[in-house]
Amino acid sequence: MTAADSKENPLKVVDVASVDKETADKVLEGFSTQGFLFVDGHDFTQQEVDHFFELSETFFKKPLEEKKKLAIDKNDCGYTTFHQENLDPALQSKGDPKEAFNFGLFNFVTGDCNKDQLPDLFKDEENYEFIRKMTKKLYALSVKILELLAIGLKIDEDKGGKNWFSDRHRPNGESITSMRMLHYPPTSELDAEQQIRAGAHTDYGSITLLFQQKGQEGLELLSMDDQWRAVPFIQSNNESYAKEGKAAPIIVNIADQLSYWTNGILKSTLHRVRLPTNGSDRYSIVFFFDAENDVRLLPIPSPLVEAARTEDISTKKETDFMTSKEYSNMRFAATYVNGH
């Protein structure tokens, strides 16, 4: 592996404003080669994204002891402090130098979450209504992407068609889908010798949506030629979107469960966060979208997926396949250094 090249954008940009075969084919191509895409044509305004980051930064600036009172729990909700999480234990002797706040247990019909676990800042009536609004929008975009993938994979209409994935990610279904706010301090302030702020890893669920800010880049992905490629902040090429006040394209990537489900057709790509020495603070907001807890990772009724199968499953029973939650719990157990 070589150091990241930050000169150009390594990702395809796909406008998902329309749910049709042409868009679906572009989404499938991007996710089956790189595992990552920039998604444009979404429904988020720049004002909404800016306010989301303002809330995140305000929370992380609170005293450490106050944040620790909201320690992460068995539902993956709450605060993790510096070095508590280690995403690459094989190469890092101690945890990642970052802090994070997770919340979940969502009802996507209403946008509600585990309100008891939220800091007072987020419980404020106006702020909580904003969080509910953003939650519903994130769910809607995630489902749209899954619908496009189902179309691209040519899932049998008699067995669910474009709704095959969304039927397993229902808005009122119980899952460990989570929202995660992250703060990476400058390397000059914390472990200056450790530029890798989030170790190399893949995500665990179905898909991940990432908001990043201009001037606070740091995401790198491992390309097919075994090189780390820096992912820049980009603006939309659609001038009308900027005039409408829409936010920049959102980074979306495939996670392990969806890669497993599709026999590796969709790529779950290694990625990490790396900051330059004496850089600025980096804040990011991530939406980890998971299937419902009791959904078994059964074969997808797609001719493309079936053609990629490498094992005989004719004798397997339904209960031989892990559920979504069982898979995630297995991964979480290897990730947290302490306190989870």
Side-chain angles (χ1 to χ4, degrees):
M1 303 179 193
T2 61
D5 179 1
S6 60
K7 295 179 181 178
E8 59 184 28
N9 173 27
L11 303 184
K12 297 181 184 300
V13 183
V14 179
D15 190 315
V16 300
S18 299
V19 178
D20 52 32
K21 185 180 183 302
E22 182 182 359
T23 306
D25 288 344
K26 291 178 181 177
V27 168
L28 180 62
E29 179 188 5
F31 284 146
S32 61
T33 54
Q34 298 169 303
F36 275 75
L37 284 178
F38 271 114
V39 168
D40 207 2
H42 52 71
D43 194 32
F44 292 94
T45 68
Q46 190 60 53
Q47 185 177 18
E48 288 171 337
V49 173
D50 289 344
H51 185 52
F52 217 5
F53 275 109
E54 287 169 6
L55 286 177
S56 172
E57 186 171 348
T58 300
F59 168 74
F60 285 119
K61 286 183 175 179
K62 291 187 177 296
L64 181 59
E65 290 307 312
E66 182 177 338
K67 291 180 288 189
K68 282 186 173 181
K69 292 177 182 178
L70 299 166
I72 197 162
D73 62 20
K74 63 181 180 180
N75 292 314
D76 196 39
C77 297
Y79 174 75
T80 55
T81 190
F82 303 104
H83 305 300
Q84 185 172 348
E85 182 183 64
N86 191 345
L87 292 175
D88 192 6
L91 294 180
Q92 294 183 180
S93 59
K94 60 181 179 179
D96 299 328
K98 68 176 189 296
E99 57 180 340
F101 184 78
N102 296 10
F103 54 99
L105 300 179
F106 293 109
N107 179 328
F108 293 113
V109 175
T110 64
D112 287 302
C113 64
N114 58 320
K115 193 172 182 180
D116 291 342
Q117 186 70 356
L118 296 180
D120 291 340
L121 172 68
F122 297 169
K123 290 180 182 177
D124 170 83
E125 183 177 354
E126 185 175 336
N127 288 337
Y128 186 64
E129 285 305 307
F130 172 76
I131 289 171
R132 290 177 62 202
K133 176 183 177 182
M134 295 294 281
T135 297
K136 288 189 284 186
K137 282 193 170 189
L138 281 162
Y139 175 79
L141 178 57
S142 299
V143 167
K144 176 183 278 192
I145 292 168
L146 292 181
E147 288 177 350
L148 287 164
L149 280 171
I151 294 170
L153 289 168
K154 300 178 173 60
I155 293 180
D156 190 333
E157 285 296 328
D158 293 336
K159 296 181 179 178
K162 77 171 187 177
N163 296 320
W164 197 89
F165 290 119
S166 57
D167 285 344
R168 289 155 178 79
H169 297 75
R170 294 173 298 177
N172 57 353
E174 184 178 334
S175 78
I176 60 169
T177 294
S178 64
M179 192 92 69
R180 174 165 244 211
M181 296 175 169
L182 288 143
H183 171 223
Y184 304 87
T187 52
S188 58
E189 289 186 13
L190 185 68
D191 296 332
E193 76 286 353
Q194 191 174 351
Q195 287 185 278
I196 304 303
R197 315 310 267 172
H201 65 285
T202 53
D203 297 335
Y204 309 155
S206 294
I207 60 175
T208 302
L209 282 64
L210 168 68
F211 293 106
Q212 63 175 358
Q213 299 182 96
K214 187 175 183 179
Q216 294 188 16
E217 299 86 346
L219 176 67
E220 297 178 350
L221 59 91
L222 190 64
S223 64
M224 290 182 289
D225 59 1
D226 206 34
Q227 296 189 56
W228 287 106
R229 302 289 185 185
V231 179
F233 176 92
I234 67 167
Q235 299 287 359
S236 175
N237 288 326
N238 189 322
E239 294 182 1
S240 67
Y241 289 161
K243 292 178 181 178
E244 294 168 8
K246 285 194 173 184
I250 298 169
I251 298 171
V252 182
N253 65 277
I254 298 296
D256 291 345
Q257 282 186 20
L258 202 50
S259 182
Y260 173 83
W261 243 340
T262 59
N263 291 330
I265 289 177
L266 304 178
K267 307 300 182 186
S268 182
T269 302
L270 272 173
H271 52 284
R272 68 186 186 184
V273 174
R274 183 177 186 271
L275 297 187
T277 304
N278 297 322
S280 61
D281 290 83
R282 178 181 188 260
Y283 295 89
S284 64
I285 299 174
V286 192
F287 183 67
F288 297 104
F289 194 45
D290 287 69
E292 295 169 52
N293 290 340
D294 60 357
V295 166
R296 293 200 176 272
L297 307 181
L298 299 168
I300 297 169
S302 154
L304 301 181
V305 174
E306 187 58 36
R309 189 173 309 287
T310 58
E311 64 171 323
D312 181 8
I313 62 169
S314 59
T315 60
K316 281 192 173 184
K317 304 186 297 293
E318 181 173 322
T319 53
D320 290 334
F321 294 87
M322 280 191 294
T323 65
S324 173
K325 189 172 184 180
E326 287 169 347
Y327 181 90
S328 295
N329 284 344
M330 176 184 69
R331 294 296 306 275
F332 281 128
T335 298
Y336 285 92
V337 176
N338 57 66
H340 185 53

